[in-house]
C-alpha cells in the first residue's frame, strides 16, 4: 500500500486522486451552486440591475404558470424559497470543506503555495499548448483558479448575507458599501463563478479523463 | 409585487415556455410537485426560526439624513395605484381584537393625537429594490401599552382596507422603530401609501409593512399574511 495523492490508501493498480471528503463536498457544492445561480437569476429578473434579464428557461424556481397556482405570481416566491433553502446546503457544505481542507492538509497539499511567477509561466505554457498535464498534479493556473473561486464563493455568501440582513448585519452591509452596492457585489461574484464554471467545464470536456476520478476518487496507474 | 410590474413580465415569461425541452435543466418540474413544495415550506419555517433568533430587539435599523431621502418614492401593491382604497376620515375606524383590554375603536382624529416619533430609514422590497423614506407616527409599542395589549402573546396581526393582511412577531412589534405611520415625507400619509395609517417596520421587508390598516389583533394563533400564505417567507426580517 502506498500513499495516494490525497493521502488516502492506494495500491499498485491505482492512485487515490480525490479523497471522499473532497468528492462529496465537490458534488454537493455543484448542486448548491446550480440552484443558487438558477434561482438567483430568477430573483434578478424581478428587479434587474442592468438592461437585460435572464431567459426564464435558464432560471430556477418553478414554471411561472404553476407558480400562479402556488404563489399567486409569476415565479419570484419559488425562486426565493429555493435560494433561501439551498443557501444552507452551500454554506454548511462550504464550512465542512474549509475545515476539512485545513485540518487534513488538503489545502497545503493540493492548492498551496501559489507563486505569481509560476502562474505566468504555466499560463504561457497552457496558451501555447506546451503545458504538460500530469495526473494528480495541479499547475499554478489551476491552483490560482480554485483558490480564487473558493474565495469568490465566500464573498458571494458574505455579500448575500449583507443583502438578506441589512439591519442585523449592518456593519457587514456597510463594509460592502451599503445595501445597493452589496447587490452589485453579489451579482459580480456570481458572474465570476459563472466564468470559472465556463473554464472548468470546458477543460473537463477537453480532458474528460479528469471526470471519473472526481466520482470514484481513483485513477489507474497506467494513465 | 405590483400588478403592472408582473403583467409587464408575463409575456416575457411565457415566451420561455416554448423551450419545454429545457425544463429539466431549469429544474422547473422539480419545483412544481408536492414533496418539493413541502420541503421548501419547511425550509422557510426553519428560516423563520433562524431569523427570530437573529433578531436583536435593541438593534436599530440604520437611519439617514434628510438629504438621502428619495424624493420620488415607489408605489407598490398587488393592484394599480388608481385602485388604492380611498378611506374617509369621517367613517374610518381602527378596530382592535384579541388579547387587548381596551378594545374601543380608534378614529383618525384620536390616532393622529398619539405621540409621534420620526424616522428616515430604508424600505427594502423583497423584489430587491430599496428606497429611503421619512415616516412619522406613534411607536406601536406605545400604542400596545396604551390599549393594554398582552405583549406576552406571539403575534400582532393587521387587516387592511384593500383586502391585504399580514402579521408580525411580538419582539418586532415592540421594536422602537416599529411605528404606526401617519405621515410620509412630512405630509399626511398619501392615499397611495396607505392613508390614514400604515405600519412602518424598518427591520422587515416592505411587504411586511401593511397600508390602510383597519384592524389590529394580538394573538397566539398564527394569523399568516397575504403573500406569506402564498409562500413568501413569514418572518422576512432585514
Amino acid at each position: 500500500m502506498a500513499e495516494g495523492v490525497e493521502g488516502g490508501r492506494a495500491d499498485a493498480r491505482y492512485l487515490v486522486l480525490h479523497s471522499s471528503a473532497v468528492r462529496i463536498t465537490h458534488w454537493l457544492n455543484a448542486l448548491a451552486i446550480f440552484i443558487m445561480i438558477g434561482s438567483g437569476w430568477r430573483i434578478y429578473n424581478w428587479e434587474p440591475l442592468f438592461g437585460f434579464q435572464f431567459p426564464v428557461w435558464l432560471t430556477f424556481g418553478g414554471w411561472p404558470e404553476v407558480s400562479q397556482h402556488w404563489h399567486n405570481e409569476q415565479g419570484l416566491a419559488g425562486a426565493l424559497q429555493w435560494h433561501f433553502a439551498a443557501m444552507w446546503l452551500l454554506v454548511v457544505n462550504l464550512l465542512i470543506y474549509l475545515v476539512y481542507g485545513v485540518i487534513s492538509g488538503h489545502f497545503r497539499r493540493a492548492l498551496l503555495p501559489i507563486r505569481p511567477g509560476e502562474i505566468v509561466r504555466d499560463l504561457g505554457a497552457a496558451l501555447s499548448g506546451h503545458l504538460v498535464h500530469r495526473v494528480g498534479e495541479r499547475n499554478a493556473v489551476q491552483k490560482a483558479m480554485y483558490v480564487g473561486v473558493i474565495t469568490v464563493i465566500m464573498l458571494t455568501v458574505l455579500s448575500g448575507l449583507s443583502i438578506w440582513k441589512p439591519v442585523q448585519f449592518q456593519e457587514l452591509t456597510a463594509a460592502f458599501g451599503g445595501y445597493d452596492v452589496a447587490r452589485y457585489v453579489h451579482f459580480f461574484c456570481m458572474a465570476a463563478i459563472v466564468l470559472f464554471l465556463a473554464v472548468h467545464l470546458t477543460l473537463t470536456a477537453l480532458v474528460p479523463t479528469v471526470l471519473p476520478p472526481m466520482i470514484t476518487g481513483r485513477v489507474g496507474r497506467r494513465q | 409585487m405590483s400588478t403592472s410590474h408582473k403583467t409587464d413580465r408575463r409575456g416575457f415569461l411565457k415566451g420561455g415556455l416554448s423551450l419545454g425541452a429545457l425544463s429539466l435543466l431549469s429544474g422547473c418540474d422539480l419545483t412544481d410537485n408536492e414533496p418539493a413544495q413541502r420541503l421548501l415550506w419547511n425550509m422557510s419555517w426553519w428560516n423563520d426560526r433562524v431569523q427570530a433568533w437573529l433578531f436583536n430587539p435593541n438593534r436599530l435599523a440604520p437611519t439617514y439624513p434628510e438629504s438621502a431621502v428619495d424624493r420620488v418614492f415607489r408605489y407598490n401593491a398587488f393592484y394599480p395605484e388608481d385602485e388604492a382604497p380611498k378611506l374617509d376620515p369621517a367613517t374610518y375606524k381602527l378596530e382592535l381584537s384579541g388579547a387587548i383590554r381596551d378594545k374601543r375603536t380608534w378614529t383618525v382624529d384620536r390616532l393622529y393625537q398619539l405621540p409621534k416619533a420620526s424616522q428616515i430609514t430604508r424600505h427594502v422590497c423583497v423584489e430587491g429594490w430599496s428606497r429611503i423614506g421619512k415616516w412619522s407616527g406613534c411607536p406601536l409599542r406605545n400604542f400596545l401599552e396604551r390599549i393594554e395589549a398582552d405583549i406576552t402573546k406571539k403575534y400582532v396581526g393587521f387587516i387592511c382596507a384593500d383586502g391585504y393582511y399580514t402579521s408580525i412577531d411580538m419582539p418586532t412589534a415592540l421594536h422602537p422603530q416599529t411605528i404606526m405611520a401617519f405621515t410620509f415625507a412630512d405630509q399626511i400619509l398619501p392615499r397611495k401609501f396607505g392613508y390614514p395609517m400604515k405600519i412602518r417596520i424598518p427591520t422587515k421587508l416592505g411587504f411586511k409593512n401593511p397600508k390602510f390598516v383597519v384592524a389590529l389583533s394580538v394573538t397566539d394563533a398564527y394569523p399568516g399574511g397575504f403573500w406569506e400564505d402564498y409562500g413568501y417567507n413569514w418572518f422576512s426580517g432585514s
Side-chain angles (χ1 to χ4, degrees), chain B residues 7 14 31 48 65 91 105 134 148 177 185 197 225-226:
Chain B
T7 40
K14 272 192 178 155
T31 300
D48 284 342
T91 55
T105 57
K134 183 179 184 183
E148 296 177 73
Q177 288 172 313
M197 191 263 282
F226 182 91

Side-chain angles (χ1 to χ4, degrees), chain A residues 186-204:
Chain A
H186 200 57
F187 178 90
F188 285 116
C189 285
M190 175 281 295
I193 294 170
V194 170
L195 202 63
F196 167 86
L197 280 176
V199 175
H200 187 60
L201 295 177
T202 303
L203 290 180
T204 307

